[in-house]
């Protein structure tokens, strides 16, 4: 009996979990903004002091959308977040877009680093005690780098979202949470590859807001723009109907 | 009041950055200081240079450099600013520090004295010290190489008694006269009846004794921590090695931080010049996120910069300039480590990243009131708060913008990216016309119709049709 009691005591600890149930983190998770996803993550959100290995096919463009609600919540609460960008990336963050998504830009640090310096910069940011969330595209991160970054994240309190290509899914990774993320017509399809708990068989479908008009302040009522699906018709013809003088459109044909 | 006197007996020699051994420093034909080897050969201060040369044929005689001595003394005085703002410079080779108010902060007399001695040892300066409730008594103790502390006023006469009369630095004639009275040490002088002594040896002796015993007030010239900091340091040999530069620059930074502490100020920029022989100096600018006076912050930044610096020529000396500082009051130590240091922690992180990645690598986004997408956002200094965009009701903007718009091909009723045959985009919104920018000389003039488009797999992008040059382009990603 005493043995069983001690075992139950052991299971009640935050850092021990039984294989077929979710680990109980001490409520340290950062809410993701999607209740369906929160329910499937140990701790009810993005884990603090750990890496999240996100496999998406486009260098963090779709993966970043997964973290935008958490980013908005943290920055509005005055917590520091960081976005690490490779110098070579053809994309750059667009300020009005992030502001419209509710992110307080004053608390978002944008760091640009070359591929060689990126792991170092990641480590420094993760070790800083006052950064809560780091988004970094590291397509070339090896398992050794991931292990090092996981250690750095464990030393600080930050969630480190590392975006890599789907081809790394077969590699071992030190991150306690691994996701595969892809854009689908309904929004985002998230497949949890690894978590502290039983693996999730079916992918989660997370709805994404359609592009909306920008109003002052994130809390203002957003008016839904009626979608204009215009399949079939010639594009330049559509463009003509919308804005362009006919002569210009015809000349394209 | 508790005074700590620091006497540097070998200052003329210590201030010489390069010399061979054995060496002696001479001024007007007389030796003023000699190193250990030449002292072992019997060479002393006050000896004629010719006599010294005769005793030790290999002796290197160096001319005295009073400017270098004064600079070294000032550097140590600046360092002492870290411990107390009350520093007096006594010509030619001593410092007096009032440490009574600092004892508690630095954990008592012993740790404080050891920290100061450590700072002198880093500068390879020989040191004797003495501590007493009056400045003059402390100075006499140090000059007699007593290296001890007299803690109370009551024990002062007993503490001074064993010192030789020479420690007072009185004129030789006076010292001889006192010896003639039969006084062999200060205790004998103190035991003489004061009015009689003053009548026979002069009023000045009585005054000095009264000031040493705390019976009379002593006016001391305070060391002035100047408005701007500027210190120069000659290296013992020209070097390219980062380790040597780190050490030497660390010395200057320590003096800078002492200067800042004494002035209750902080600086955010300081300039370190690496001096080359006969060439223009190389400049290293240390830039902090906010004014500070923590040595560790400057030092870490310096190491980051020195490691990445390519030196064109060997370095012969260093010069550090800073100031004027901004007022920066000291902060109360926290009982429990709290979140109060969040901003400082971020500043440290930014400085470290900047030191390695470059000044432009770190920033914050800010919205700019400009209708052209390329100009609607800017990278500003981290933490700089921009007002929210004034325009509302504007059509949606994407999260990501391409640095250079990607041309799209128009094919079978859809748009197709060049490298991705599978990705066909369909328009999903009305056009938003964004045009003009004639005021911008750098090619900011545009004329575009923007559409939200959607790929078959669900990707939402922002495309435009250029109605000036023609053609479709991919510009953003939602």
């Amino acid at each position: 009996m005493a043995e069983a009691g001690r075992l139950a005591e052991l299971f009640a600890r935050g850092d021990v979990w039984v294989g077929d149930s979710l680990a109980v983190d001490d409520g340290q998770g950062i809410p993701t903004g999607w209740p369906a996803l929160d329910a499937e993550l140990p701790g009810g959100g993005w884990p603090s002091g750990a890496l999240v290995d996100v496999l998406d096919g486009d260098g963090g463009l779709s993966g970043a959308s997964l973290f935008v609600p958490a980013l908005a919540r943290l920055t509005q609460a005055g917590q520091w977040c960081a976005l690490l960008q490779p110098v070579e990336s053809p994309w750059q963050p667009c300020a009005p877009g992030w502001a419209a998504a509710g992110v307080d830009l004053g608390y978002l640090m944008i760091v640009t680093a070359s591929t060689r310096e990126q792991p170092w910069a990641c480590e420094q940011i993760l070790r800083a005690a006052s950064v809560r969330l780091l988004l970094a595209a590291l397509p070339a991160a090896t398992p050794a780098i991931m292990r090092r970054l996981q250690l750095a994240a464990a030393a600080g309190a930050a969630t480190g979202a590392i975006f890599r290509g789907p081809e790394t899914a077969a590699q071992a990774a030190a991150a306690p949470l691994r996701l595969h993320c892809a854009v689908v017509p309904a929004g985002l399809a998230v497949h949890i590859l690894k978590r502290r708990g039983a693996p999730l068989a079916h992918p989660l479908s997370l709805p994404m807001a359609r592009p909306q008009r920008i109003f002052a302040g994130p809390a203002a009522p957003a008016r839904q723009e009626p979608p204009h699906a215009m399949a079939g018709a010639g594009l330049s013809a559509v463009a003509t109907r919308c804005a362009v003088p006919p002569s210009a459109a015809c000349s394209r044909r | 009041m508790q005074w700590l006197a620091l006497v540097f007996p070998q200052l003329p020699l210590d201030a010489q950055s390069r010399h061979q051994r054995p060496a002696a420093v001479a001024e007007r034909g007389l030796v003023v200081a000699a190193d250990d080897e030449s002292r072992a050969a019997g060479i002393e201060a006050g000896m004629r240079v010719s006599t010294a040369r005769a005793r030790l044929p290999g002796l290197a005689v160096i001319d005295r450099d009073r400017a270098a001595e004064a600079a070294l003394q000032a550097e140590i005085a600046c360092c002492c600013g870290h411990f107390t703002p009350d520093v007096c410079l006594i010509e030619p080779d001593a410092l007096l520090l009032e440490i009574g108010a600092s004892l508690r902060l630095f954990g008592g007399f012993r740790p404080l004295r050891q920290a100061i001695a450590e700072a002198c040892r880093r500068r390879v300066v020989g040191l004797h010290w003495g501590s007493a409730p009056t400045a003059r008594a402390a100075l006499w103790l140090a000059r007699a190489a007593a290296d001890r502390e007299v803690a109370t006023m009551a024990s002062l006469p007993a503490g001074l008694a064993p010192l030789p009369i020479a420690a007072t630095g009185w004129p030789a004639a006076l010292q001889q006269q006192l010896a003639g009275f039969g006084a062999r040490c200060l205790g004998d002088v103190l035991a003489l009846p004061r009015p009689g002594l003053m009548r026979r040896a002069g009023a000045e002796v009585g005054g000095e004794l009264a000031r040493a015993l705390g019976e009379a007030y002593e006016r001391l010239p305070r060391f002035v921590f100047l408005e701007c900091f500027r210190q120069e340091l000659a290296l013992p040999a020209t070097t390219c090695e980062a380790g040597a530069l780190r050490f030497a620059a660390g010395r200057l930074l320590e003096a800078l931080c002492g200067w800042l502490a004494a002035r209750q100020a902080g600086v955010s920029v300081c300039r370190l010049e690496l001096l080359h022989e006969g060439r223009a100096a190389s400049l290293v600018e240390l830039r902090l996120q906010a004014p500070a006076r923590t040595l560790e912050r400057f030092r870490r930044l310096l190491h980051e910069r020195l490691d990445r610096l390519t030196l064109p020529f060997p370095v012969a000396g260093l010069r550090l300039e800073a100031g004027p500082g901004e007022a920066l009051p000291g902060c109360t130590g926290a009982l429990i480590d709290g979140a109060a240091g969040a901003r400082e922690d971020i500043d440290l992180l930014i400085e470290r990243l900047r030191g390695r990645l470059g000044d432009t690598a770190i920033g914050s986004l800010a919205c700019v009131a400009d209708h052209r997408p390329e100009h609607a956002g800017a990278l500003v200094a981290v933490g700089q708060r921009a007002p929210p965009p004034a325009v509302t009701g504007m059509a949606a903007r994407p999260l990501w913008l391409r640095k250079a718009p990607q041309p799209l091909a128009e094919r079978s009723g859809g748009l197709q990216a060049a490298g991705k045959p599978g990705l066909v985009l369909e328009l999903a919104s009305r056009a938003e016309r964004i045009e003009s920018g004639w005021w911008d000389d750098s090619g900011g003039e545009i004329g575009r119709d923007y559409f939200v488009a959607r790929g078959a797999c669900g990707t939402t992008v922002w495309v435009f049709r250029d109605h000036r040059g023609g053609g479709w382009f991919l510009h953003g990603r939602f």
Side-chain angles (χ1 to χ4, degrees):
Chain A
M1 266 325 275
E3 298 278 297
R6 213 179 300 157
L7 206 59
E9 211 172 274
L10 206 61
F11 285 153
R13 287 173 51 139
D15 50 353
V16 172
W17 85 94
V18 187
D20 60 351
S21 63
L22 275 185
V24 185
D25 214 339
D26 308 324
Q28 293 291 308
I30 304 163
T32 63
W34 284 279
L37 184 58
D38 285 347
E40 298 296 342
L41 294 178
W46 302 121
S48 298
L51 285 195
V52 183
D53 189 8
V54 184
L55 312 177
D56 65 351
D58 50 14
L61 295 189
S62 46
S65 328
L66 200 55
F67 290 87
V68 166
L71 203 61
R73 178 191 289 259
L74 287 173
T75 51
Q76 280 174 25
Q79 308 258 30
W80 283 92
C81 298
L83 177 69
L84 184 70
Q85 276 257 289
V87 172
E88 307 81 39
S89 169
W91 298 91
Q92 64 191 18
C94 172
W98 291 86
V103 176
D104 183 346
L105 298 176
Y107 283 101
L108 178 65
M109 198 193 300
I110 310 285
V111 182
T112 335
S114 64
T115 315
R116 214 162 58 89
E117 300 281 15
Q118 263 193 311
W120 175 84
C122 267
E123 192 181 348
Q124 296 299 321
I125 295 169
L126 287 173
R127 275 191 196 283
S130 39
V131 175
R132 287 302 306 278
L133 179 60
L134 163 72
L135 308 185
L138 288 180
T142 59
I145 289 178
M146 293 296 281
R147 194 170 315 120
R148 204 181 159 127
L149 292 183
Q150 166 62 26
L151 286 176
T159 303
I162 308 293
F163 306 111
R164 301 198 292 165
E167 68 280 357
T168 51
Q171 283 179 7
L177 181 61
R178 301 187 79 193
L179 311 170
H180 183 277
C181 161
V183 178
V184 292
L188 284 169
V190 174
H191 197 134
I192 300 179
L193 303 174
K194 175 185 171 187
R195 61 173 173 173
R196 289 198 171 136
L200 193 66
H202 56 278
L204 293 169
S205 177
L206 308 176
M208 284 256 286
R210 296 274 165 95
Q212 290 165 351
R213 287 191 169 271
I214 296 171
F215 291 90
R223 205 172 46 196
Q224 185 81 34
E225 183 80 351
H228 292 268
M230 296 177 188
L235 265 173
S236 288
V238 173
T240 311
R241 240 189 291 144
C242 292
V244 187
S247 60
C250 291
S251 66
R252 290 280 309 138
R253 276 287 159 123
Chain B
M1 289 269 239
Q2 182 73 16
W3 289 86
L4 176 66
L6 308 174
V7 169
F8 315 110
Q10 294 285 61
L11 191 66
L13 194 67
D14 294 330
Q16 300 285 343
S17 60
R18 342 178 154 172
H19 62 78
Q20 63 218 47
R21 288 169 181 276
V25 177
E27 191 182 33
R28 279 189 243 120
L30 292 177
V31 172
V32 285
D35 66 358
D36 294 343
E37 273 176 63
S38 42
R39 259 181 302 173
I43 295 168
E44 294 168 347
M47 191 178 262
R48 296 180 79 80
V49 172
S50 48
T51 319
R53 278 222 171 97
R55 286 209 178 179
L56 197 63
L59 183 73
V61 178
I62 315 161
D63 284 335
R64 185 173 190 176
D65 185 352
R66 282 191 180 265
E69 283 173 42
L72 183 59
Q73 208 179 356
E75 186 189 327
I76 299 172
C78 280
C79 285
C80 292
H82 178 63
F83 303 104
T84 169
D86 229 346
V87 179
C88 308
L89 212 127
I90 308 293
E91 296 285 343
D93 60 349
L95 288 179
L96 276 168
L97 319 176
E98 202 288 297
I99 54 166
S102 315
L103 289 175
R104 195 180 159 78
L105 181 62
F106 291 93
F109 179 74
R110 235 179 112 83
L112 177 60
R113 196 229 338 133
Q114 280 168 347
I116 294 174
E118 188 55 45
C120 293
R121 197 168 312 129
R122 273 196 289 278
R123 286 159 182 78
V124 210
V125 176
L127 173 70
H128 285 302
W129 61 273
S131 179
T134 64
R136 189 141 299 267
L139 191 62
W140 286 355
L141 281 165
R143 284 220 198 279
D147 291 355
R148 72 191 153 82
E149 182 197 8
V150 175
T152 60
M153 212 60 130
S155 58
L156 205 49
L160 290 179
L163 301 185
I165 298 171
T168 56
W170 289 335
L174 180 58
Q175 287 188 33
Q176 266 177 3
Q177 191 185 5
L178 289 172
F181 296 162
R184 282 181 302 278
C185 60
L186 262 181
D188 295 341
V189 179
L190 290 173
L192 293 173
R194 197 77 60 84
L197 177 71
M198 281 167 74
R199 223 174 19 252
R200 294 163 70 188
E204 191 46 40
V205 176
E208 291 243 328
L209 288 176
R211 287 195 284 271
L213 295 175
E215 293 158 7
Y217 173 74
E218 172 143 36
R219 269 190 69 172
L220 288 163
R222 294 291 194 272
F223 176 72
V224 182
F225 293 91
L226 291 174
E227 190 71 22
C228 290
F229 180 87
R230 183 192 168 97
Q231 280 277 324
E232 208 171 305
L233 182 67
L235 296 180
T238 55
T239 181
C240 279
E241 205 194 323
L245 292 179
R246 274 186 186 195
F247 178 80
R251 255 179 71 171
L252 290 178
L253 286 179
E254 194 186 351
L256 170 71
C257 291
W259 171 79
L260 288 172
R263 285 188 64 91
Q264 291 276 301
V267 287
S268 48
V269 185
C270 60
R271 294 168 298 282
L272 179 69
E273 284 175 54
L274 308 174
L275 309 172
H276 308 293
E277 268 170 355
R279 312 220 182 221
S282 334
L283 180 71
V284 175
E285 208 172 46
L286 304 179
R287 197 172 279 277
L288 294 185
Q289 191 63 16
R293 59 161 172 268
T294 326
L295 177 60
E296 205 39 51
R297 277 175 77 168
F298 285 107
R299 195 178 272 165
R300 203 158 22 195
L301 200 58
L302 172 82
H303 290 185
E304 210 58 81
R305 293 293 301 269
L306 280 186
D307 287 351
R308 301 168 59 79
L309 189 72
T310 324
L311 286 169
F313 313 105
V315 179
L318 301 173
R319 185 188 299 139
L320 186 67
E321 288 180 347
E326 294 165 48
L328 182 74
C331 57
T332 317
L335 183 62
I336 302 159
D337 286 340
R343 178 69 222 192
E344 189 171 346
D345 183 61
I346 282 292
D347 286 349
L348 274 178
L349 173 67
I350 294 167
E351 283 157 20
R352 211 170 313 147
L353 291 173
R354 257 203 205 151
R356 179 140 165 182
L357 304 177
D359 280 348
T360 53
I362 292 99
S364 268
L365 286 176
C367 294
V368 177
D370 196 312
H371 63 287
R372 295 166 295 170
E374 287 96 337
H375 298 87
L379 215 55
V380 296
V382 177
Q384 190 180 317
R385 320 219 56 134
V391 185
T392 67
M394 187 170 69
R397 289 287 176 266
L399 288 181
W400 301 97
L401 216 57
R402 275 192 80 90
K403 288 172 187 163
Q406 182 187 11
L408 294 171
E410 192 179 328
R411 207 161 289 151
S412 61
L415 293 169
Q416 212 167 38
K420 298 175 184 167
L423 184 69
V424 178
L425 301 169
E426 285 183 0
L427 302 189
S429 75
R430 291 168 197 263
E432 178 193 2
R433 176 160 290 190
I434 299 178
E435 63 180 350
S436 100
W438 49 266
W439 54 89
D440 201 344
D441 291 333
S442 54
E445 171 96 51
I446 58 168
R448 297 166 180 175
D449 288 321
Y450 275 91
F451 299 86
V452 174
R454 200 157 285 144
C457 61
T459 326
T460 315
V461 295
W462 208 35
V463 297
F464 70 81
R465 184 173 184 282
D466 191 349
H467 61 75
R468 296 164 66 86
W472 289 86
F473 293 88
L474 172 65
H475 201 196
R477 172 86 195 255
F478 287 91

